[in-house]
Amino acid sequence: MISDSEAISYEFATGPDLYALCQEAAKARDNAWGKQLTYSKKVFIPLTNMCRDTCGYCTFVQSPDSPHANYMTPEQVLKTAREGAALDCKEALFSLGERPEERHQKARDMLAHLGYDSTLDYLHDQCESVLTRTSLLPHVNAGALSYDELKRLKPVAASMGMMLENVSNDLLKKGHAHHACPDKTPKRRLDTIEQAGRLDIAFTTGILIGIGESWTDRVNSLIAIRDRHLAYGHIQEVIIQNFRAKAGTAMAEYQEPNLDDMKRTIAVARLILPDDISIQAPPNLEVEYGSYINAGINDWGGISPLTKDFINPERAWPQISSVAQACEGLGYSLAERLTIYDRFQHQDNKYLTPNLTQRVASLVSRAAQVSGGVIA
């Protein structure tokens, strides 16, 4: 790992300096992860698109005044999961707005119609339904959660995640990305990551770049993730995600990060984070996503053959065959993985409850019978 000060010094690395930085990161990736990149074959289940936060870049969240504001019904959840299973998906990614019922009457009314008064209670039961009625493994991305909330969800989710995004409190100020977003305070996000560590939950987090933060803010965000992983050992992957401007949002005119900025951030993430943390970047948010390989990524995240990216609906997933070609062109193979990484699967029910341990073992066994199956 490089020092914190060295990471900060790469802020303006470009040309030959950026090339050398990426080479160093790629070498570190090869030493730790070999010549194989991975992805998770998933379905995206947007349980509700209402939220009590109003991020300046988000088009996923719908106002309660919108006719599109909704909760998926149990039937819709199960239908999506079963269609994904029929396409050999292994992961059901539950993504949702944070605690909409605490702000919006419409959310409370829709929950009541479903027989609930809490979004998280509804989430728990829908994860349980997918787990018991399909072959998929739920992965939960429900935002900032307390110790007790995480503990309740652990038996019905093989892994969980929440983007840290950034540790800068400046982003909470009026006119900035996270103004009036009670769930986006760095303290609340970092506490969620820490509580997940205390509970031995295999956890995904990451940073969102280009939302008004400084380079030092990015490095400090990676350091904060690193420190919590060194304390608990539970971070399985860190996503480096580039902001994309969307029409109709407060940040529609913001400058997007360019490819060099992404490569610079990916490379520094690989070099400042422990080797056992996977570095991921989404392939649908950059036309030249193959360039990420030489910057040090080892994973592409979830890719769906069925559902769109509801967070970035204007950015279609690339075909898995195209991602494989990008890897092969640079001397790497592409393999499917489960939502919970291999090293978390075999620790005597530490990260997985017994029911999930059995499901994971079944998926690994099934994949072992076919060529190019899940990494075991």
Side-chain angles (χ1 to χ4, degrees):
M1 293 189 291
I2 59 175
S3 68
D4 301 353
S5 60
E6 189 177 359
I8 290 172
S9 75
Y10 286 117
E11 178 176 2
F12 301 109
T14 189
D17 292 337
L18 178 57
Y19 178 77
L21 173 65
C22 289
Q23 275 196 315
E24 186 180 354
K27 182 179 179 181
R29 181 267 322 282
D30 289 351
N31 288 339
W33 295 85
K35 304 290 282 188
Q36 185 177 74
L37 278 75
T38 52
Y39 75 100
S40 175
K41 198 171 185 180
K42 73 175 183 183
V43 288
F44 200 126
I45 299 178
L47 195 64
T48 179
N49 58 9
M50 288 184 282
C51 185
R52 70 172 181 172
D53 298 320
T54 53
C55 298
Y57 46 76
C58 182
T59 56
F60 172 75
V61 169
Q62 298 292 306
S63 160
D65 297 331
S66 168
H68 303 295
N70 78 312
Y71 280 79
M72 291 180 72
T73 66
E75 294 76 20
Q76 289 171 328
V77 169
L78 206 54
K79 180 177 183 290
T80 300
R82 284 173 170 161
E83 288 175 351
L87 293 173
D88 205 29
C89 293
K90 316 294 189 307
E91 173 187 348
L93 168 60
F94 281 86
S95 194
L96 53 148
E98 301 196 36
R99 306 174 196 276
E101 70 275 16
E102 296 188 12
R103 180 174 181 178
H104 303 303
Q105 183 62 47
K106 182 174 182 177
R108 292 192 288 272
D109 291 344
M110 294 186 82
L111 277 171
H113 181 73
L114 291 164
Y116 294 84
D117 57 18
S118 160
T119 297
L120 292 178
D121 285 346
Y122 185 54
L123 169 65
H124 173 278
D125 288 1
Q126 296 318 300
C127 287
E128 188 173 56
S129 173
V130 166
L131 190 60
T132 57
R133 300 183 187 185
T134 78
S135 60
L136 301 184
L137 291 168
H139 171 88
V140 166
N141 187 358
L145 302 174
S146 69
Y147 179 91
D148 288 340
E149 289 165 344
L150 289 163
K151 184 178 181 180
R152 181 154 189 260
L153 288 169
K154 180 175 177 176
V156 295
S159 57
M160 299 189 212
M162 177 207 66
M163 291 290 281
L164 171 60
E165 297 196 14
N166 202 273
V167 295
S168 172
N169 282 305
D170 288 344
L171 297 178
L172 301 170
K173 295 177 180 177
K174 190 172 182 179
H176 291 259
H178 293 153
H179 177 63
C181 296
D183 299 297
K184 291 298 178 78
T185 66
K187 182 179 185 302
R188 183 159 169 71
R189 309 299 271 189
L190 289 170
D191 183 66
T192 298
I193 296 171
E194 189 160 330
Q195 300 313 319
R198 291 178 59 202
L199 285 162
D200 296 323
I201 293 170
F203 206 76
T204 293
T205 188
I207 62 173
L208 178 60
I209 75 166
I211 57 173
E213 81 288 353
S214 69
W215 174 260
T216 300
D217 292 334
R218 288 186 202 174
V219 174
N220 286 338
S221 300
L222 292 169
I223 291 168
I225 293 169
R226 179 194 68 194
D227 290 349
R228 280 150 185 82
H229 178 71
L230 291 175
Y232 298 103
H234 67 305
I235 305 294
Q236 60 174 3
E237 55 189 1
V238 166
I239 303 168
I240 309 300
Q241 182 170 328
N242 48 323
F243 159 77
R244 286 299 193 183
K246 296 176 176 61
T249 67
M251 296 173 64
E253 302 303 319
Y254 260 54
Q255 180 69 41
E256 297 178 344
N258 62 27
L259 182 57
D260 276 2
D261 202 9
M262 270 295 283
K263 288 160 61 177
R264 189 182 301 115
T265 309
I266 288 168
V268 165
R270 177 65 285 160
L271 294 171
I272 203 171
L273 293 170
D275 289 342
D276 61 349
I277 292 179
S278 173
I279 302 296
Q280 177 192 130
N284 62 317
L285 302 185
E286 169 58 55
V287 174
E288 298 181 50
Y289 61 83
S291 299
Y292 294 165
I293 298 171
N294 284 338
I297 69 160
N298 61 277
D299 188 77
W300 297 108
I303 300 176
S304 181
L306 177 67
T307 51
K308 65 184 177 181
D309 178 353
F310 286 88
I311 307 300
N312 299 280
E314 77 284 4
R315 302 275 174 173
W317 300 112
Q319 293 292 317
I320 292 170
S321 59
S322 298
V323 178
Q325 282 186 332
C327 295
E328 290 162 6
L330 291 170
Y332 293 82
S333 62
L334 180 68
E336 188 182 350
R337 62 165 174 84
L338 296 182
T339 182
I340 181 168
Y341 278 67
D342 178 67
R343 68 186 180 87
F344 293 97
Q345 296 173 19
H346 312 291
Q347 299 199 35
D348 296 325
N349 297 326
K350 178 179 180 181
Y351 288 97
L352 293 169
T353 52
N355 62 316
L356 286 163
T357 297
Q358 292 174 3
R359 171 61 56 81
V360 167
S362 174
L363 286 170
V364 169
S365 175
R366 190 177 78 192
Q369 299 174 22
V370 296
S371 176
V374 175
I375 297 171

